[in-house]
Amino acid sequence: MLYRPQFFKLYELVCPHVYNKFGDGAWRFFDDEAVITLDWIRRTLGKPMTVNNWHDGGNLDERGLRCIQCKIVKDKCISGHVYVSTHILGKAFDCDVEGMEASEVRVWLAMNKSKLPYPIRIENHVSWLHFDVEDMGVPLYLFEP
Ligand SMILES: [Zn+2]
Ligand SMILES: [Zn+2]
């Protein structure tokens, strides 16, 4: 991927496994459309957003790109599940927006869907904003967990 976000550092968008192994090379695992959209939401809302915070000592580390050493993915492997998430394809982020509930962010996205740089899917009824750039043929596609 060629796009570099204005508002996010790489370590906010990948797990520590990937960051420690690939460093800056890990940018290539992302879909440009996902990172451009993340930056667009951050810029347009004008509020700080958190994806991962492990680099600053927090416990969030699977909300951007996930690898096979990440717990969610590892658990699926061990239990014999087939798992293809947009989080392992570099197309998804889970975010918190400062001062807004996830449901409020979803409403705001719905109101602004015609301005979105790319079509997105968002997950309903979760306490964080999950969006990904899987193109469902509409600007904003809502899916259930
Ligand atoms: Zn990982
Ligand atoms: Zn997610």
Side-chain angles (χ1 to χ4, degrees), residues 93-112:
F93 296 106
D94 297 331
C95 326
D96 299 315
V97 177
E98 201 173 289
M100 288 179 85
E101 297 294 328
S103 55
E104 296 176 309
V105 183
R106 286 190 285 269
V107 169
W108 179 84
L109 283 168
M111 290 187 326
N112 290 278

Side-chain angles (χ1 to χ4, degrees), residues 1 65 94 135:
M1 88 153 233
L65 182 74
D94 297 331
D135 187 350

Side-chain angles (χ1 to χ4, degrees), residues 12-106:
E12 296 178 79
L13 306 184
V14 299
C15 61
H17 316 114
V18 165
Y19 189 74
N20 293 333
K21 173 157 183 173
F22 297 98
D24 266 359
W27 282 119
R28 73 180 184 272
F29 301 133
F30 284 102
D31 185 314
D32 274 327
E33 294 182 3
V35 183
I36 289 168
T37 304
L38 179 68
D39 242 5
W40 181 88
I41 295 171
R42 168 65 183 81
R43 183 183 308 112
T44 310
L45 267 178
K47 296 174 192 291
M49 285 172 65
T50 305
V51 182
N52 289 325
N53 61 7
W54 62 267
H55 194 265
D56 297 320
N59 60 358
L60 303 173
D61 60 4
E62 298 193 42
R63 307 211 313 168
L65 182 74
R66 294 174 192 157
C67 80
I68 58 169
Q69 295 302 327
C70 283
K71 187 174 187 317
I72 293 170
V73 184
K74 219 173 184 176
D75 287 351
K76 299 276 186 194
C77 288
I78 291 166
S79 62
H81 283 93
V82 174
Y83 181 73
V84 183
S85 164
T86 45
H87 282 282
I88 62 177
L89 301 172
K91 288 171 174 270
F93 296 106
D94 297 331
C95 326
D96 299 315
V97 177
E98 201 173 289
M100 288 179 85
E101 297 294 328
S103 55
E104 296 176 309
V105 183
R106 286 190 285 269

